[in-house]
Coordinates of all heavy atoms in Angstrom, one line a residue:
R159 N 114.2 163.8 150.9 CA 115.4 163.4 151.6 C 115.8 161.9 151.2 O 117.0 161.6 151.1 CB 115.1 163.4 153.2 CG 115.3 164.8 153.7 CD 115.3 164.8 155.2 NE 114.0 164.5 155.8 CZ 113.0 165.4 156.0 NH1 113.3 166.7 155.7 NH2 111.8 165.1 156.5
R160 N 114.8 161.1 151.0 CA 115.1 159.7 150.6 C 115.8 159.7 149.2 O 116.7 159.0 148.9 CB 113.8 158.9 150.5 CG 113.3 158.5 151.9 CD 112.3 157.3 151.8 NE 111.1 157.7 151.0 CZ 110.0 158.2 151.6 NH1 110.0 158.5 152.9 NH2 109.0 158.5 150.8
I161 N 115.3 160.6 148.3 CA 115.9 160.7 146.9 C 117.3 161.2 147.1 O 118.2 160.6 146.4 CB 115.0 161.6 146.0 CG1 113.7 161.0 145.7 CG2 115.8 162.0 144.8 CD1 112.7 161.9 145.0
K162 N 117.5 162.2 147.9 CA 118.9 162.7 148.1 C 119.8 161.6 148.6 O 120.9 161.5 148.2 CB 118.8 163.8 149.1 CG 120.2 164.6 149.3 CD 119.9 165.8 150.2 CE 121.2 166.6 150.4 NZ 122.1 165.9 151.3
L163 N 119.3 160.8 149.6 CA 120.2 159.7 150.1 C 120.5 158.7 149.0 O 121.6 158.1 149.0 CB 119.4 159.0 151.3 CG 119.5 159.8 152.6 CD1 118.5 159.1 153.6 CD2 120.9 159.9 153.1
I164 N 119.5 158.4 148.2 CA 119.8 157.4 147.1 C 120.9 157.9 146.2 O 121.8 157.2 145.8 CB 118.5 157.2 146.2 CG1 117.5 156.4 147.1 CG2 118.8 156.5 144.9 CD1 116.1 156.3 146.4
F165 N 120.9 159.2 145.8 CA 121.9 159.7 144.9 C 123.2 159.8 145.6 O 124.3 159.5 145.1 CB 121.5 161.1 144.4 CG 120.5 161.0 143.2 CD1 119.2 161.1 143.4 CD2 121.0 160.8 141.9 CE1 118.3 161.0 142.3 CE2 120.2 160.6 140.9 CZ 118.8 160.8 141.1
E166 N 123.3 160.2 146.9 CA 124.5 160.4 147.6 C 125.2 159.0 148.0 O 126.4 158.9 148.1 CB 124.3 161.1 148.9 CG 124.0 162.6 148.7 CD 123.9 163.4 150.0 OE1 123.9 162.8 151.0 OE2 124.0 164.7 149.9
N167 N 124.4 158.0 148.0 CA 124.9 156.7 148.4 C 124.9 155.7 147.3 O 124.7 154.5 147.5 CB 124.1 156.1 149.6 CG 124.3 157.0 150.9 OD1 125.4 157.0 151.4 ND2 123.3 157.7 151.3
N168 N 125.0 156.2 146.1 CA 124.9 155.3 144.9 C 126.1 154.5 144.7 O 126.1 153.6 143.8 CB 124.6 156.2 143.7 CG 124.0 155.4 142.5 OD1 123.3 154.4 142.8 ND2 124.3 155.8 141.3
M169 N 127.2 154.7 145.4 CA 128.4 153.9 145.3 C 128.3 152.7 146.2 O 127.8 152.8 147.3 CB 129.7 154.7 145.7 CG 130.0 155.8 144.7 SD 131.5 156.7 145.1 CE 131.0 157.5 146.6
P170 N 128.7 151.5 145.7 CA 128.7 150.3 146.6 C 129.4 150.5 147.9 O 129.0 150.0 148.9 CB 129.3 149.2 145.7 CG 129.1 149.7 144.3 CD 129.2 151.2 144.4
I171 N 130.6 151.1 147.8 CA 131.4 151.4 149.0 C 131.0 152.7 149.6 O 131.0 153.7 148.9 CB 132.9 151.3 148.7 CG1 133.3 150.0 148.1 CG2 133.7 151.6 150.0 CD1 134.7 149.9 147.6
A172 N 130.6 152.7 150.9 CA 130.1 154.0 151.5 C 131.3 154.8 152.0 O 131.6 154.8 153.1 CB 129.2 153.6 152.7
Y173 N 131.9 155.5 151.0 CA 133.0 156.4 151.3 C 132.6 157.6 152.2 O 131.5 158.2 151.9 CB 133.7 156.9 150.1 CG 134.3 155.8 149.2 CD1 133.9 155.5 147.9 CD2 135.4 155.1 149.7 CE1 134.4 154.6 147.1 CE2 136.0 154.1 148.9 CZ 135.5 153.9 147.6 OH 136.1 152.9 146.9
K174 N 133.4 157.9 153.2 CA 133.1 159.1 153.9 C 133.7 160.3 153.2 O 134.5 160.2 152.3 CB 133.8 159.0 155.3 CG 133.3 157.8 156.2 CD 134.1 157.7 157.5 CE 133.6 156.6 158.3 NZ 134.3 156.4 159.5
R175 N 133.3 161.5 153.6 CA 133.8 162.7 153.0 C 135.2 163.1 153.5 O 135.4 163.0 154.8 CB 132.8 163.9 153.1 CG 131.5 163.6 152.5 CD 130.7 164.9 152.3 NE 130.3 165.5 153.6 CZ 129.5 166.5 153.7 NH1 128.9 167.1 152.6 NH2 129.2 167.0 154.9
I176 N 136.1 163.4 152.7 CA 137.5 163.7 153.1 C 137.5 165.2 153.4 O 137.2 166.0 152.5 CB 138.5 163.3 152.0 CG1 138.4 161.8 151.7 CG2 139.9 163.7 152.4 CD1 139.1 161.4 150.5
A177 N 138.0 165.5 154.6 CA 138.0 166.9 155.0 C 139.4 167.5 154.8 O 139.6 168.7 154.6 CB 137.6 167.1 156.4
K178 N 140.5 166.7 155.0 CA 141.9 167.2 155.0 C 142.7 166.1 154.5 O 142.3 164.9 154.4 CB 142.3 167.6 156.3 CG 141.7 168.9 156.9 CD 142.3 169.2 158.3 CE 143.7 169.7 158.2 NZ 144.3 170.1 159.5
A179 N 144.0 166.4 154.1 CA 144.9 165.4 153.7 C 146.3 166.0 154.0 O 146.6 167.2 153.9 CB 144.8 165.1 152.2
S180 N 147.2 165.0 154.2 CA 148.6 165.4 154.4 C 149.5 164.3 153.9 O 149.5 163.2 154.4 CB 148.9 165.6 155.9 OG 150.3 165.9 156.2
N181 N 150.3 164.6 152.9 CA 151.1 163.6 152.2 C 150.4 162.3 151.9 O 149.6 162.3 150.9 CB 152.4 163.3 153.1 CG 153.4 162.5 152.3 OD1 153.5 162.6 151.1 ND2 154.2 161.8 153.1
D182 N 150.6 161.3 152.6 CA 150.0 160.0 152.3 C 148.8 159.6 153.2 O 148.3 158.5 153.1 CB 151.1 158.9 152.4 CG 151.7 158.8 153.8 OD1 151.5 159.8 154.6 OD2 152.4 157.9 154.1
I183 N 148.3 160.6 153.9 CA 147.2 160.3 154.8 C 146.0 161.2 154.4 O 146.1 162.4 154.2 CB 147.6 160.7 156.3 CG1 148.7 159.8 156.7 CG2 146.4 160.5 157.2 CD1 148.4 158.3 156.8
L184 N 144.8 160.5 154.3 CA 143.5 161.2 154.1 C 142.8 161.3 155.5 O 142.8 160.3 156.2 CB 142.7 160.5 153.1 CG 143.3 160.3 151.7 CD1 142.4 159.3 150.9 CD2 143.4 161.6 151.0
I185 N 142.2 162.4 155.8 CA 141.5 162.6 157.1 C 140.1 162.8 156.8 O 139.7 163.8 156.1 CB 142.1 163.8 157.9 CG1 143.6 163.5 158.1 CG2 141.4 163.9 159.2 CD1 144.4 164.7 158.6
N186 N 139.2 161.9 157.2 CA 137.8 162.1 157.0 C 137.1 163.1 157.8 O 137.7 163.6 158.8 CB 137.1 160.7 157.2 CG 137.5 159.7 156.2 OD1 137.6 160.0 155.0 ND2 137.8 158.4 156.6
E187 N 135.9 163.5 157.5 CA 135.2 164.5 158.2 C 135.0 164.2 159.7 O 135.0 165.0 160.5 CB 133.8 164.7 157.5 CG 133.2 166.0 157.8 CD 131.9 166.2 156.9 OE1 131.3 165.2 156.5 OE2 131.6 167.4 156.6
D188 N 134.9 162.9 160.0 CA 134.8 162.4 161.4 C 136.1 162.3 162.1 O 136.1 161.8 163.3 CB 134.0 161.1 161.4 CG 134.7 160.0 160.8 OD1 135.8 160.1 160.3 OD2 134.1 158.9 160.7
G189 N 137.2 162.6 161.4 CA 138.5 162.5 162.1 C 139.3 161.2 161.8 O 140.4 161.1 162.1
S190 N 138.6 160.2 161.3 CA 139.3 158.9 161.0 C 140.2 159.1 159.9 O 140.1 160.0 159.0 CB 138.2 157.9 160.7 OG 137.4 158.2 159.6
Q191 N 141.3 158.3 159.8 CA 142.3 158.5 158.8 C 142.5 157.2 158.0 O 142.2 156.1 158.4 CB 143.6 158.8 159.6 CG 143.6 160.1 160.4 CD 145.0 160.4 160.9 OE1 146.0 159.8 160.7 NE2 145.0 161.5 161.7
L192 N 143.0 157.5 156.8 CA 143.3 156.4 155.8 C 144.7 156.6 155.2 O 145.1 157.7 154.9 CB 142.3 156.5 154.6 CG 140.8 156.3 155.0 CD1 139.9 156.9 153.9 CD2 140.5 154.8 155.1
I193 N 145.4 155.5 155.0 CA 146.6 155.5 154.2 C 146.2 155.5 152.7 O 145.4 154.7 152.3 CB 147.5 154.3 154.5 CG1 147.9 154.3 156.0 CG2 148.7 154.3 153.6 CD1 148.5 152.9 156.4
D194 N 146.7 156.5 152.0 CA 146.2 156.7 150.6 C 147.0 156.0 149.6 O 148.2 156.4 149.4 CB 146.2 158.2 150.3 CG 145.5 158.5 149.0 OD1 144.9 157.6 148.4 OD2 145.7 159.6 148.5
L195 N 146.5 155.0 149.0 CA 147.1 154.3 147.9 C 146.3 154.5 146.6 O 146.6 153.9 145.6 CB 147.2 152.8 148.1 CG 148.1 152.3 149.3 CD1 148.2 150.8 149.3 CD2 149.5 153.0 149.3
F196 N 145.4 155.5 146.6 CA 144.6 155.9 145.5 C 145.2 157.1 144.8 O 145.2 157.2 143.6 CB 143.2 156.2 145.9 CG 142.3 156.7 144.8 CD1 142.1 155.9 143.7 CD2 141.6 157.9 145.0 CE1 141.3 156.4 142.6 CE2 140.8 158.4 144.0 CZ 140.6 157.6 142.8
G197 N 145.8 158.0 145.6 CA 146.5 159.2 145.0 C 145.7 160.1 144.1 O 146.2 160.6 143.1
A198 N 144.4 160.2 144.5 CA 143.5 161.1 143.7 C 143.6 160.8 142.2 O 143.9 161.6 141.4 CB 143.8 162.6 144.0
N199 N 143.2 159.6 141.9 CA 143.3 159.1 140.5 C 144.7 159.2 139.9 O 144.9 159.4 138.7 CB 142.3 159.9 139.6 CG 140.9 159.3 139.7 OD1 140.7 158.1 139.6 ND2 140.0 160.2 139.8
G200 N 145.7 159.0 140.8 CA 147.1 159.0 140.3 C 147.7 160.3 140.1 O 148.7 160.4 139.4
T201 N 147.2 161.4 140.7 CA 147.7 162.7 140.5 C 148.7 163.1 141.5 O 149.7 163.9 141.2 CB 146.6 163.8 140.4 OG1 145.9 163.7 141.7 CG2 145.6 163.4 139.3
T202 N 148.6 162.7 142.7 CA 149.4 163.3 143.8 C 150.7 162.4 144.1 O 150.8 161.8 145.1 CB 148.6 163.4 145.1 OG1 148.0 162.1 145.4 CG2 147.5 164.4 145.0
L203 N 151.6 162.4 143.1 CA 152.8 161.6 143.2 C 153.6 162.2 144.4 O 154.4 161.4 145.0 CB 153.6 161.7 141.9 CG 154.8 160.8 141.9 CD1 154.4 159.4 141.7 CD2 155.8 161.2 140.8

């Protein structure tokens, strides 16, 4: 379990998992929301 956590949290920023999205809003698994200025690596114009 410790090894799994190391690999899953290898990013400096602890991003949550995204469960849904709508236009310019990302909705995390816990229901919190983000205004998306990342655009999935610039794909979702």
Side-chain angles (χ1 to χ4, degrees):
R159 280 191 289 274
R160 285 198 297 272
I161 291 172
K162 183 172 183 287
L163 284 171
I164 287 170
F165 279 97
E166 287 185 348
N167 296 292
N168 200 29
M169 292 183 293
I171 301 173
Y173 295 116
K174 299 176 182 179
R175 296 196 298 187
I176 299 167
K178 293 181 66 177
S180 177
N181 190 27
D182 55 350
I183 297 296
L184 300 172
I185 304 170
N186 293 318
E187 202 171 28
D188 64 3
S190 58
Q191 297 187 6
L192 298 157
I193 300 169
D194 186 16
L195 296 187
F196 175 58
N199 279 314
T201 60
T202 53
L203 186 74

